[in-house]
Amino acid sequence: MVIPHFVIQEGDGGTGQSPAMKEFFRKVDSVKKDMDAIKKNISEIEKKHGDALKATSKATTSKTENSLHNLMDTTSDLMQSVKTKLTDMKEDEKAKKGDSEARMRMNLHKTLAQKFVALSQEYQEIQTKYKEKYRERVGRQLKIVNPDATKEDVDALMKAGGDKDVFAQTLMQQRSDQAAKNALADI
C-alpha cells in the first residue's frame, strides 16, 4: 500500500506568526518527525518479517525475533505518542474556533490524522501478512513431520506457540515411542 506523502511546511513568509501558530507548527513538526520514524520502522519491520520467515537456525530466528519485537515496541510507542499529540491538537482546535488560523489548524490536523490512519492501516496489513505466512510455514513444517496433519493440528500448534522446535519435538516423541517399543520387546 502506498501512502501519499503530504507536504506541510512551516514558515511565516516574513509576515510574523502569532505565538499560538508557532506552537502549533512546532507540534506539527513533532508529529511529522514521529510519523516519518514510524514509516521507516514499518519498512524495517516488513524486512525483518521476511528475515524471520527465512531463518533456518534457532539462533538466527531468536536474534531476528528479539530485534523484531524491540522494533515493534518502539513503533507502538511512537504510534501512541502521535495519537496523543493529534488528540491534544484537536482539543486545542476546539478551544480556538472561529478565525482563519483555526481553519488552517483544522485542515493541517485533518491531513496529519489521515496520514496517521494510513500508516496504522499499513502497519496492520504487514502484521496480518506476516501472521498468514508464518501460519503457512508452520503448516508446511508440520506436514513434513506428520503428513496426516490437519488444519486443526496446525491451529493447535499455533496456539501452543507456533513452530518452536516442531522437528525436535517430533524426533523426541518418535525416540520415546521407539524406546517404549524396545522395552516392550525386551519383556
Side-chain angles (χ1 to χ4, degrees):
M1 177 179 165
V2 176
I3 298 175
H5 184 71
F6 298 100
V7 177
I8 303 170
Q9 295 180 337
E10 176 183 352
D12 64 346
T15 61
Q17 290 179 335
S18 69
M21 286 305 288
K22 286 181 181 180
E23 177 64 17
F24 177 78
F25 279 121
R26 187 193 59 73
K27 289 178 184 178
V28 167
D29 285 341
S30 175
V31 168
K32 283 176 52 184
K33 285 177 187 171
D34 286 351
M35 286 197 290
D36 286 343
I38 290 169
K39 178 70 176 163
K40 181 180 171 235
N41 286 358
I42 288 172
S43 295
E44 187 66 23
I45 287 170
E46 191 168 27
K47 180 186 174 297
K48 288 189 183 292
H49 279 166
D51 293 346
L53 290 169
K54 293 175 190 172
T56 55
S57 73
K58 192 173 184 177
T60 304
T61 300
S62 180
K63 181 180 174 185
T64 303
E65 285 178 353
N66 286 340
S67 174
L68 184 59
H69 287 292
N70 289 338
L71 189 57
M72 288 168 54
D73 288 344
T74 300
T75 303
S76 293
D77 290 345
L78 281 169
M79 292 184 95
Q80 186 60 44
S81 172
V82 168
K83 184 177 177 183
T84 300
K85 289 174 185 178
L86 288 172
T87 301
D88 291 345
M89 288 170 71
K90 187 168 184 114
E91 292 300 317
D92 289 346
E93 285 174 37
K94 287 179 182 178
K96 300 172 184 172
K97 282 190 172 183
D99 61 4
S100 62
E101 286 183 352
R103 286 189 298 277
M104 184 187 327
R105 285 190 302 270
M106 184 177 73
N107 287 336
L108 286 172
H109 176 268
K110 184 177 177 182
T111 301
L112 289 170
Q114 288 171 343
K115 185 176 179 186
F116 179 67
V117 167
L119 279 172
S120 297
Q121 289 171 340
E122 181 182 7
Y123 185 59
Q124 289 173 346
E125 286 173 12
I126 65 162
Q127 294 291 77
T128 301
K129 274 194 251 180
Y130 173 70
K131 286 177 185 174
E132 289 169 1
K133 288 179 182 180
Y134 183 72
R135 180 183 222 54
E136 290 170 4
R137 184 179 109 179
V138 169
R140 284 191 306 271
Q141 289 178 343
L142 187 58
K143 289 281 188 183
I144 290 170
V145 296
N146 181 7
D148 299 326
T150 64
K151 184 181 181 308
E152 289 76 25
D153 294 334
V154 174
D155 291 341
L157 187 59
M158 290 298 292
K159 283 184 181 178
D163 66 340
K164 306 287 187 231
D165 301 325
V166 170
F167 298 112
Q169 288 173 3
T170 303
L171 184 61
M172 295 285 279
Q173 184 178 6
Q174 288 173 348
R175 285 184 182 167
S176 175
D177 290 347
Q178 189 61 41
K181 287 178 186 176
N182 290 344
L184 182 61
D186 288 342
I187 296 178

